[in-house]
Amino acid sequence: MNSQTSKVYLFIHVITCVKNKEPLLTKPVRTVLFAHIKKHATENGINVLSVNGTDDHMHIVVQMMPTQNLAQIMKSIRTDSSAWINDGNFIKSHFEWEEGFAALSVSPSGIKQVLDYLEKQEEHHKTKTLESELEVFQKIQI
């Protein structure tokens, strides 16, 4: 199979938090921020399938290409989005993302379920905290 006919299905679900988990991403900010992130990603060859979140964190699902690196993708998205928020004075204080992030690979057969989960973030977090959501990562054993 040559590179012209390669089929690559690398789906990654990333969770990244606002620095100190401050609840700075109000609904109006999230609405414009997530649209901006999708636009920036497209302009930079990053295929964002979905982005959503709540006041203190963001979920993003990307389809990576073989030549891409997840750390570089997230650095591009987070650096651009934090500069965009700060330059646009969308919030009163200085905005930063936490240094690290959590990432899970997603099977092509499970991608629809993950995208549905992202779509319902506000509803989901009415009953579950970010900490309980992140506990899933602690329970994964290989």
Side-chain angles (χ1 to χ4, degrees):
M1 185 177 276
N2 65 39
S3 63
Q4 301 279 329
T5 60
S6 296
K7 299 280 187 198
V8 178
Y9 300 100
L10 297 173
F11 301 110
I12 309 294
H13 174 190
V14 181
I15 303 170
T16 189
C17 298
V18 175
K19 188 162 188 167
N20 300 320
K21 296 183 183 67
E22 289 186 66
L24 300 176
L25 298 177
T26 61
K27 178 77 173 171
V29 171
R30 287 195 307 270
T31 301
V32 293
L33 173 64
F34 297 160
H36 173 79
I37 285 172
K38 281 186 154 191
K39 180 178 183 281
H40 165 80
T42 300
E43 290 170 353
N44 288 278
I46 300 167
N47 188 10
V48 171
L49 301 181
S50 183
V51 59
N52 204 355
T54 62
D55 292 350
D56 62 354
H57 72 283
M58 165 177 81
H59 292 255
I60 189 164
V61 174
V62 295
Q63 181 179 7
M64 289 178 49
M65 297 301 114
T67 57
Q68 291 178 319
N69 171 306
L70 183 60
Q72 291 169 338
I73 287 172
M74 291 310 298
K75 181 178 181 182
S76 173
I77 289 171
R78 293 175 351 152
T79 300
D80 174 79
S81 60
S82 58
W84 186 79
I85 288 173
N86 290 322
D87 293 348
N89 294 313
F90 290 102
I91 58 175
K92 289 181 171 73
S93 57
H94 181 74
F95 182 84
E96 288 181 63
W97 294 107
E98 288 275 337
E99 227 175 276
F101 56 85
L104 283 172
S105 60
V106 180
S107 165
S109 64
I111 195 67
K112 184 182 178 334
Q113 183 180 358
V114 172
L115 296 175
D116 289 346
Y117 174 76
L118 262 66
E119 196 175 299
K120 297 178 178 124
Q121 276 300 292
E122 289 180 39
E123 180 184 317
H124 176 72
H125 283 289
K126 285 179 183 172
T127 58
K128 264 196 166 179
T129 65
L130 173 62
E131 287 72 26
S132 67
E133 186 174 51
L134 293 174
E135 281 176 16
V136 171
F137 291 93
Q138 305 301 323
K139 293 178 183 175
I140 295 173
Q141 293 185 2
I142 298 174

